[in-house]
């Protein structure tokens, strides 16, 4: 690997880490608060990208505005999914899994019917410039993803640790019954977790849209990695998901550059197994599920 | 005046009833204790009052309002809080944050600060360790935190599920004194205990639960001198 490729790969790893983080923290949050896994979470990411495709590439609305709209729209989708699916399947992980996995497929088909299945959508890059960093050329759009993701994950973290409602979310994730005994509505907190998770995933999709192949299936690969990241991070731990995202961002990107993406995925799974053998509860695993 | 009245409730886990036709009353300003052996159904009863379990029949009323169909968070906001069995503190939150969660339902931060000060007076150790993660506290400290947390909303009725479980005799005595202090401030308390001696010394009245049914009830002084209770629960 020559020097510019190496720098390029580091940059790509950082970008991948931040995208994984902004997708995985939402999954981890929902899993913690509701003890439910949202298998349509990858499609939330996809929807965020399609909001950019429709409003920016097709209708010409300004990119930053559209990114914001994507976050709001997908946050709303999160709320709808909570109200229609998780409210009914609460406490039944399998039912929630089936329903959201089905929803994911439905969303893929709807989007495909509306805007086509096969062809990848091209979205004009709002920031086509490249900058030279230590001899490597790196696209500005890619670099913008990093502060964008850090900002959104950072805001979530701040919210969880410094606001009354955010602390209530953490309380629910640590002990639902004890949280309910404090007057915290576990149902409302679940809805809020889904809104926040949707906003983060939609935001990530919108940031990635100009540099990622936009197809109805784009959420698929992302959500698999996000699930691995959440498992490795310790299921319900937002902090663990962030640490694991960085780990996987680097491992996966380097393996994909040196070998190919299939090998990278295999190595990813091996890393997961190694971590789970060494620490069965994940990097930041918690005593109680 | 009757604050809480549990009326003929039956609670089942699956098809097995854990509690059958239990009735009890708590009047304003009382300490009432519910004693009984392992598995008698004490926790099941107290969990039903908080809405964590739903009775299959019978009803529970609080200040004249039926609460047995409400969710636990709603019941907590009506003024019934609980220090649950096993403490159940939020392990990855600081002592301070745990207490803040106890005040989740309060709207004013002045009220939160005032209640925090009161809790710190009862449990100075919670002030000393306010930054420490709750999961790293000793068992006794966690018990104090669980009770402190339940006091943070200034409840009308405090439910305590085996607060002395696993504590040293010295700590248990300390805790008993705090319960008495709380009672003297006018707080109404329903105390669940396996430690019948301590409970009957603290309480005004008591109920004895055996395999899911109330078998005896009366003033604590009467229960203390009851022969059967002496044999079964007081070791003499
Ligand atoms: N979650 C549950 N699922 C099934 N059975 C349960 C459950 N919780 C309690 N039980 C059963 O219900 C009965 C009453 O249990 P409960 O916990 O109310 O007793 P307890 O008086 O609080 O006992 P302890 O002193 O051990 O705390 C017991 O037979 C117990 O095995
Ligand atoms: Mg019990």
């Amino acid at each position: 690997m020559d020097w510019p490729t190496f720098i390029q790969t580091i940059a790509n790893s950082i970008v991948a880490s931040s995208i994984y983080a902004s997708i995985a923290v939402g999954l981890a949050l929902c899993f913690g608060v509701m003890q439910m896994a949202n298998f349509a979470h990858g499609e939330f990411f996809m929807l965020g990208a399609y909001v950019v495709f429709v409003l920016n590439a097709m209708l010409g609305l300004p990119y930053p505005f559209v990114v914001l709209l994507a976050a709001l729209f997908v946050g709303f989708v999160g709320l709808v999914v909570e109200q229609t699916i998780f409210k009914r399947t609460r406490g039944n992980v399998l039912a929630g899994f089936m329903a959201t996995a089905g929803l994911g497929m439905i969303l893929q088909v709807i989007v495909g019917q509306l805007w086509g299945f096969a062809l990848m959508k091209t979205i004009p890059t709002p920031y086509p410039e490249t900058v030279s960093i230590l001899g490597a050329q790196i696209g500005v759009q890619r670099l913008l993803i990093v502060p964008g993701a850090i900002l959104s994950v950072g805001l979530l973290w701040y919210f969880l640790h410094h606001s009354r409602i955010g602390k209530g979310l953490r309380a629910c994730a640590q002990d639902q019954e004890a949280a309910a005994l404090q007057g915290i509505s576990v149902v409302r907190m679940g809805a809020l977790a889904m809104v926040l998770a949707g906003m983060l995933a939609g935001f990530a999709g919108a940031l990635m849209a100009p540099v990622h192949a936009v197809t109805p299936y784009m959420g698929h690969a992302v959500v698999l990695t996000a699930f691995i990241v959440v498992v490795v991070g310790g299921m319900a731990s937002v902090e663990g998901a962030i640490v694991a995202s960085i780990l996987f961002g680097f491992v996966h990107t380097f393996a994909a550059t040196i070998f190919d993406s299939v090998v990278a995925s295999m190595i990813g799974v091996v890393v997961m197994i190694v971590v789970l053998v060494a620490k069965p509860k994940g990097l930041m695993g918690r005593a109680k599920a | 005046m009757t604050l809480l009245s549990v009326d003929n409730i039956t609670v089942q886990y699956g098809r097995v009833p854990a509690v059958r036709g239990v009735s009890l009353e708590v009047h304003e300003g009382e300490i009432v204790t519910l004693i009984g052996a392992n598995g008698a159904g004490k926790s099941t009863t107290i969990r039903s009052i908080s809405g964590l379990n739903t009775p299959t029949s019978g009803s529970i009323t609080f200040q004249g309002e039926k609460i047995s169909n409400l969710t636990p968070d709603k019941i907590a906001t009506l003024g019934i809080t609980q220090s649950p069995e096993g403490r159940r503190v939020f392990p990855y939150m600081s002592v301070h944050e745990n207490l803040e969660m106890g005040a989740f339902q309060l709207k004013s931060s002045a009220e939160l600060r005032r209640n925090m000060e009161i809790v710190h007076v009862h449990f100075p150790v919670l002030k000393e360790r306010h930054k420490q993660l709750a999961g790293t506290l000793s068992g006794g400290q966690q018990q104090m935190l669980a009770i402190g947390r339940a006091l943070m909303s200034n409840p009308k009725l405090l439910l305590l599920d085996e607060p002395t479980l696993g504590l040293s005799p010295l700590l248990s005595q300390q805790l008993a004194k705090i319960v008495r202090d709380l009672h003297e401030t006018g707080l109404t308390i329903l105390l669940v205990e396996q430690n019948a001696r301590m409970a009957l010394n603290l309480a005004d009245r008591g109920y004895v639960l055996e395999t899911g049914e109330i078998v005896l009830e009366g003033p604590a002084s009467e229960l203390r001198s009851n022969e059967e209770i002496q044999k079964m629960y007081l070791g003499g």
Side-chain angles (χ1 to χ4, degrees):
Chain A
M1 191 185 274
D2 58 6
W3 178 254
T5 313
F6 178 70
I7 296 297
Q8 180 80 48
T9 311
I10 297 254
N12 287 344
S13 302
I14 296 174
V15 171
S17 303
S18 36
I19 287 300
Y20 291 157
S22 42
I23 295 170
V25 290
L27 269 184
L29 184 68
C30 289
F31 189 81
V33 173
M34 300 189 301
Q35 326 250 277
M36 294 295 253
N38 175 18
F39 274 77
H41 197 65
E43 279 61 49
F44 284 16
F45 170 77
M46 179 270 285
L47 287 178
Y50 268 85
V51 169
V52 173
F53 168 67
V54 173
L55 296 183
N56 175 254
M58 286 171 66
L59 300 179
L61 295 179
Y63 180 72
F65 173 67
V66 167
V67 172
L68 222 62
L69 274 187
L72 292 177
F73 172 70
V74 183
F76 176 71
V77 173
L79 180 64
V80 172
V81 171
E82 193 277 336
Q83 295 283 315
T84 53
I85 295 182
F86 287 131
K87 213 168 216 172
R88 285 155 220 270
T89 56
R90 202 165 259 281
N92 186 341
V93 178
L94 188 63
F97 158 69
M98 307 262 275
T100 52
L103 173 72
M105 287 180 219
I106 292 169
L107 290 175
Q108 289 170 5
V109 171
I110 292 176
V111 167
Q113 288 291 347
L114 287 172
W115 295 293
F117 285 94
L119 285 177
M120 160 189 158
K121 302 292 164 280
T122 40
I123 288 169
T125 308
Y127 310 100
E129 307 83 8
T130 59
V131 287
S132 172
I133 297 175
L134 300 170
Q137 293 294 314
I138 295 162
V140 170
Q141 175 71 33
R142 278 191 167 270
L143 283 185
L144 276 179
I145 291 169
V146 177
I150 292 177
L151 182 73
S152 62
V153 173
L155 279 176
L156 175 72
W157 192 88
Y158 189 86
F159 177 71
L160 290 176
H161 286 84
H162 294 279
S163 73
R164 169 176 155 272
I165 305 279
K167 289 177 193 181
L169 276 170
R170 280 164 61 216
C172 280
Q174 289 173 34
D175 191 329
Q176 286 204 7
E177 280 191 354
L181 287 177
Q182 315 313 316
I184 301 171
S185 163
V186 180
V187 175
R188 273 199 218 160
M189 287 295 164
L192 176 60
M194 280 297 286
V195 170
L196 293 172
M199 287 179 77
L200 278 158
F203 184 72
L207 282 181
M208 281 300 271
V211 296
H212 195 285
V214 174
T215 77
Y217 309 112
M218 66 187 285
H220 198 68
V222 175
V223 81
L224 280 184
T225 313
F227 265 100
I228 292 179
V229 161
V230 169
V231 171
V232 167
M235 289 312 271
S237 164
V238 167
E239 286 83 358
I242 294 172
V243 173
S245 293
I246 296 169
L247 176 70
F248 272 78
F250 275 82
V251 168
H252 196 276
T253 309
F254 267 86
T257 309
I258 297 169
F259 310 106
D260 59 52
S261 65
V262 176
V263 177
S265 298
M266 278 159 47
I267 292 179
V269 172
V270 170
V271 171
M272 171 173 90
I273 293 168
V274 169
V275 170
L276 292 183
V277 166
K279 294 196 75 180
K281 285 183 176 124
L283 291 174
M284 309 243 168
R286 294 177 159 182
K288 190 186 156 296
Chain B
M1 206 185 84
T2 306
L3 192 60
L4 174 85
S5 125
V6 173
D7 188 18
N8 199 21
I9 62 164
T10 294
V11 188
Q12 305 186 175
Y13 294 106
R15 303 190 124 178
V16 190
V19 156
R20 280 179 313 244
V22 162
S23 298
L24 61 86
E25 278 193 351
V26 180
H27 306 292
E28 219 160 275
E30 274 188 319
I31 300 186
V32 173
T33 186
L34 184 59
I35 54 177
N38 229 309
K42 307 181 295 296
S43 295
T44 304
T45 306
I46 211 173
R47 284 170 55 86
S48 303
I49 297 170
S50 282
L52 294 174
N53 290 345
T54 312
T56 48
S57 65
S59 75
I60 303 172
T61 48
F62 180 65
Q63 295 185 307
E65 186 187 343
K66 184 170 179 215
I67 58 166
S68 35
N69 49 356
L70 301 181
T71 53
D73 54 290
K74 187 81 208 343
I75 292 171
T77 56
L78 290 178
I80 303 181
T81 62
Q82 176 170 170
S83 163
E85 184 170 67
R87 294 130 197 179
R88 308 285 289 268
V89 297
F90 303 115
Y92 301 96
M93 296 178 109
S94 69
V95 167
H96 185 82
E97 287 174 324
N98 266 272
L99 293 179
E100 282 181 333
M101 288 302 97
F104 191 84
Q105 47 171 297
L106 298 184
K107 294 287 171 278
S108 108
S109 55
E111 208 178 341
L112 186 150
R113 274 196 303 276
R114 190 162 359 104
N115 294 349
M116 184 88 73
E117 270 167 35
I118 294 171
V119 168
H120 283 162
V121 169
H122 287 293
F123 305 104
V125 68
L126 299 182
K127 187 173 187 182
E128 287 157 28
R129 297 182 178 259
H130 72 283
K131 278 191 175 154
Q132 193 173 331
L133 284 188
T136 65
L137 295 173
S138 73
Q141 291 160 352
Q142 286 191 8
Q143 187 61 63
M144 312 257 171
L145 180 56
I147 299 175
R149 183 178 64 178
L151 291 171
M152 281 298 294
S153 59
N154 194 16
K156 300 183 179 108
L157 172 63
L158 174 67
L159 310 176
L160 298 174
D161 195 345
E162 301 208 43
T164 63
L165 191 74
L167 301 194
S168 69
L170 187 71
L171 261 181
S172 300
Q173 268 172 26
Q174 250 182 42
L175 210 82
K177 184 183 173 304
I178 291 168
V179 170
R180 195 171 279 128
D181 290 347
L182 290 171
H183 178 229
E184 264 158 30
T185 66
L187 185 61
T188 311
I189 299 171
L190 177 58
L191 170 67
V192 159
E193 263 300 338
Q194 263 193 67
N195 182 343
R197 184 182 307 277
M198 187 205 94
L200 289 175
N201 279 332
L202 279 172
D204 301 306
R205 290 187 307 113
Y207 293 84
V208 182
L209 205 53
E210 246 169 52
T211 55
E213 288 175 279
I214 303 267
V215 292
L216 261 176
E217 61 178 276
S221 53
E222 261 175 42
L223 293 179
R224 270 199 303 270
S225 53
N226 179 298
E227 248 177 55
E228 246 172 275
I229 291 197
Q230 296 228 335
K231 230 176 17 216
M232 298 259 315
Y233 301 104
L234 302 176

